[in-house]
């Protein structure tokens, strides 16, 4: 009888741990995405004017290829 309750408690504990890890991973991903976007925006803003167009084209192509998984 007590083994049943232990197994139920263990299952609930595993599910809660999984959900906490999932939320932590999602928050970490969003923080990394925000930092990367800020870094990229700062880098592009500091480039000379004639190079900005080429840099944005290269970055845009890289994003499209990453989305298409090539």
């Amino acid at each position: 009888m007590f083994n049943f309750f232990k197994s139920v408690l263990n299952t609930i504990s595993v599910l809660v741990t999984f959900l906490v890890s999932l939320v932590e991973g999602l928050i970490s991903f969003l923080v990394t995405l925000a930092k990367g976007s800020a870094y990229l925006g700062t880098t592009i803003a500091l480039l000379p004017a004639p190079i900005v167009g080429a840099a944005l084209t290269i970055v845009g192509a890289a994003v499209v290829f990453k989305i298409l998984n090539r």
Side-chain angles (χ1 to χ4, degrees):
M1 184 77 166
F2 290 112
N3 286 336
F4 171 74
F5 291 120
K6 282 184 181 180
S7 65
V8 169
L9 186 61
N10 187 24
T11 303
I12 292 172
S13 173
V14 167
L15 288 174
V16 168
T17 304
F18 172 74
L19 289 175
V20 168
S21 296
L22 187 68
V23 169
E24 285 178 352
L26 182 63
I27 290 172
S28 174
F29 172 72
L30 292 175
V31 167
T32 303
L33 187 66
K35 285 182 181 180
S37 297
Y39 175 75
L40 186 61
T42 303
T43 304
I44 296 296
L46 294 176
L47 287 174
I51 299 175
V52 171
L56 289 177
T57 302
I58 292 169
V59 169
V63 168
V64 168
F65 285 141
K66 191 67 169 176
I67 291 172
L68 294 177
N69 199 15
R70 291 213 167 213

